[in-house]
């Protein structure tokens, strides 16, 4: 008996995940595979919703894939008419197209021209919470480290490490299950060391109550990224040789992480500025943000302080 459309889509997504699991995204420039379990889970949810919508439209559960493909644009139009955010429609389109083996560029999807809403919605009394002595430790740490809320929860005393004269905060399991070493700028090291002082190797750095608040820790992550970009730019202006030092250090980081920097698009364009792309560009202009960035400084922020390894993600999520 033939599979239902829903099961076919699920099988295709799992196959894409098996091919992409553990593969650096730099080795998959056409995004043919799925690299993270979180992405797979999100895509599965979206295809389940698509299958439910098709059923509600009167289509058979075992409809051919060719017929399901013809319904992609009507489904996206339905979501747009219902008022779904452009980012949500974009994610849905990516999931359904991946599951059905078609190109997303063949469909009309609204531009994601506003910053993604990440982190908690902060209350009106945010200033009062930020001044609460109970939270000063986590706030001071977040402002100079800039990791995610769940990563703060999992930090242990052993995760402060030193290598080749630099200080790092080791994240054993970041987004998508990735390990990362968050570089701490030299002037911020005393703040981080103070937070780790007296913490046993296997003890949590932060108690649960230190994270039981409505502060949007992702806001500090974004502000830290912008601060580090400004610092790198200032240092390159002060020292003409610093730019080449950054480039060489980036190459070493790629190699240490098992990545080929020669295959990274941004690394191949370090002599060219990064111009903000259409859609995001309109939002940046509206909010009086720069639309041109130094690619070396931007990639340094992306690699060492965000672990994204791509300038586009860094600009779209953290520079506005």
């Amino acid at each position: 008996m033939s599979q239902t459309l829903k099961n076919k889509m699920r099988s295709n997504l799992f196959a894409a995940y098996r091919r992409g699991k553990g593969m650096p995204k730099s080795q998959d420039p056409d995004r043919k595979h799925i690299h993270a379990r979180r992405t797979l889970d999100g895509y599965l949810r979206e295809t389940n919703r698509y299958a439910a919508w098709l059923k509600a439209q009167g289509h058979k559960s075992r409809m051919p894939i060719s017929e399901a493909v013809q319904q992609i644009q009507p489904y996206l139009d339905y979501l747009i008419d219902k008022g779904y955010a452009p980012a949500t429609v974009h994610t849905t389109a990516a999931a359904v197209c991946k599951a059905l083996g078609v190109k997303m560029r063949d469909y009309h999807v609204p531009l994601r021209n506003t910053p993604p809403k990440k982190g908690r919605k902060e209350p009106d009394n945010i200033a009062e919470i930020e001044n609460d002595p109970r939270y000063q430790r986590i706030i001071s740490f977040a402002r100079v480290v800039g990791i995610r809320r769940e990563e703060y929860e999992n930090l242990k005393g052993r995760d402060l490490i030193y290598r080749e004269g630099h200080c790092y905060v080791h994240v054993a399991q970041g987004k998508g299950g990735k390990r990362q070493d968050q570089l701490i700028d030299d002037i911020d090291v005393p703040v981080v060391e103070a937070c780790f002082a007296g913490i046993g190797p296997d003890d949590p750095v932060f108690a649960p109550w230190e994270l039981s608040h409505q502060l949007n820790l992702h806001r500090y992550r974004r502000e830290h990224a912008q601060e580090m970009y400004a610092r790198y730019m200032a240092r390159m202006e002060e020292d003409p040789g610093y730019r080449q030092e950054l480039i060489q250090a980036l190459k070493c980081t790629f190699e240490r992480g098992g990545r080929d920097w020669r295959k990274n698009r941004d690394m191949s364009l370090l002599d060219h500025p990064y111009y903000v792309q259409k859609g995001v560009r309109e939002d940046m202009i509206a909010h009086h943000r720069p639309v041109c960035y130094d690619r070396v400084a931007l990639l340094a922020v992306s690699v060492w302080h965000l672990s994204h390894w791509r300038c586009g993600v860094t600009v779209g999520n953290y520079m506005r």
Side-chain angles (χ1 to χ4, degrees):
M1 183 179 294
S2 62
Q3 285 184 311
T4 63
L5 176 68
K6 178 179 176 179
N7 286 340
K8 288 179 182 178
M9 290 192 293
R10 290 177 63 86
S11 296
N12 290 341
L13 291 176
F14 274 107
Y17 177 62
R18 286 193 296 271
R19 292 191 298 268
K21 183 179 180 182
M23 175 191 295
K25 289 184 179 179
S26 59
Q27 296 181 12
D28 182 23
D30 296 326
R31 298 293 185 266
K32 294 181 179 179
H33 312 312
I34 296 175
H35 303 272
R37 179 71 202 204
R38 181 178 295 187
T39 303
L40 172 65
D41 291 340
Y43 280 14
L44 290 171
R45 286 193 296 271
E46 294 302 329
T47 51
N48 287 344
R49 294 190 183 109
Y50 181 51
W53 179 82
L54 289 171
K55 182 178 180 181
Q57 303 305 305
H59 295 283
K60 296 180 179 179
S61 62
R62 288 184 168 78
M63 66 185 299
I65 285 183
S66 58
E67 293 182 14
V69 167
Q70 295 176 5
Q71 297 300 317
I72 293 177
Q73 191 62 63
Y75 179 56
L76 298 178
D77 293 341
Y78 162 79
L79 296 179
I80 295 170
D81 292 341
K82 292 286 288 185
Y84 282 78
T88 302
V89 179
H90 190 279
T91 299
T92 300
V96 173
C97 288
K98 182 81 70 177
L100 294 176
V102 294
K103 300 291 185 181
M104 182 176 159
R105 62 171 177 263
D106 294 335
Y107 299 90
H108 168 65
V109 180
L111 290 173
R112 295 178 294 179
N113 57 357
T114 55
K117 296 180 180 179
K118 295 190 175 184
R120 300 186 176 194
K121 181 179 179 180
E122 294 183 321
D124 295 335
N125 64 335
I126 181 61
E128 179 181 337
I129 298 176
E130 284 193 316
N131 291 323
D132 191 322
R134 294 175 297 173
Y135 305 128
Q136 293 310 300
R137 188 164 164 271
I138 181 65
I139 290 174
S140 64
F141 189 87
R143 281 177 168 157
V144 301
V145 179
I147 54 179
R148 301 176 178 87
R149 177 176 289 269
E150 60 272 18
E151 295 168 356
Y152 292 112
E153 296 172 353
N154 296 326
L155 276 185
K156 304 293 184 184
R158 61 175 175 268
D159 291 326
L160 180 64
I161 61 176
Y162 300 88
R163 186 176 62 239
E164 298 175 354
H166 296 289
C167 177
Y168 299 84
V169 169
H170 177 67
V171 177
Q173 189 171 12
K175 185 176 181 180
K178 296 183 294 185
R179 297 175 60 186
Q180 65 193 60
D181 289 336
Q182 200 85 356
L183 176 65
I184 308 303
D185 198 35
D186 289 346
I187 63 176
D188 297 324
V189 170
V191 174
V192 175
E193 290 179 332
C195 289
F196 275 87
I199 306 295
D202 297 319
D203 295 332
V205 176
F206 296 104
W209 60 265
E210 291 182 276
L211 294 162
S212 297
H213 50 67
Q214 292 179 285
L215 291 174
N216 182 355
L217 295 179
H218 196 278
R219 171 166 62 88
Y220 299 128
R221 177 172 164 85
R222 184 176 67 251
E223 292 173 355
H224 176 60
Q226 294 176 7
E227 170 65 18
M228 288 310 307
Y229 177 81
R231 291 184 190 180
Y232 286 127
M233 289 297 296
R235 291 167 188 171
M236 283 192 289
E237 291 176 4
E238 294 170 2
D239 180 3
Y242 185 67
R243 183 181 187 86
Q244 287 304 315
E245 291 180 22
L246 281 182
I247 293 174
Q248 187 58 42
L250 282 168
K251 291 179 180 179
C252 291
T253 302
F254 270 80
E255 292 171 354
R256 186 165 52 243
R259 299 167 180 259
D260 188 347
W261 60 265
R262 298 169 186 81
K263 295 182 179 179
N264 181 277
R265 185 174 185 275
D266 290 309
M267 286 294 290
S268 67
L269 295 171
L270 289 180
D271 292 333
H272 302 275
Y274 180 92
Y275 291 98
V276 180
Q277 298 176 4
K278 183 179 179 182
V280 174
R281 184 185 184 89
E282 295 170 0
D283 182 67
M284 299 285 265
I285 293 173
H287 290 86
H288 309 290
R289 300 292 298 165
V291 294
C292 179
Y293 290 85
D294 183 281
R295 201 180 294 262
V296 174
L298 194 60
L299 193 58
V301 172
S302 186
V303 171
W304 292 325
H305 304 283
L306 297 173
S307 293
H308 278 303
W309 305 78
R310 287 180 292 161
C311 289
V313 175
T314 301
V315 169
N317 290 276
Y318 298 95
M319 293 295 123
R320 53 178 175 158

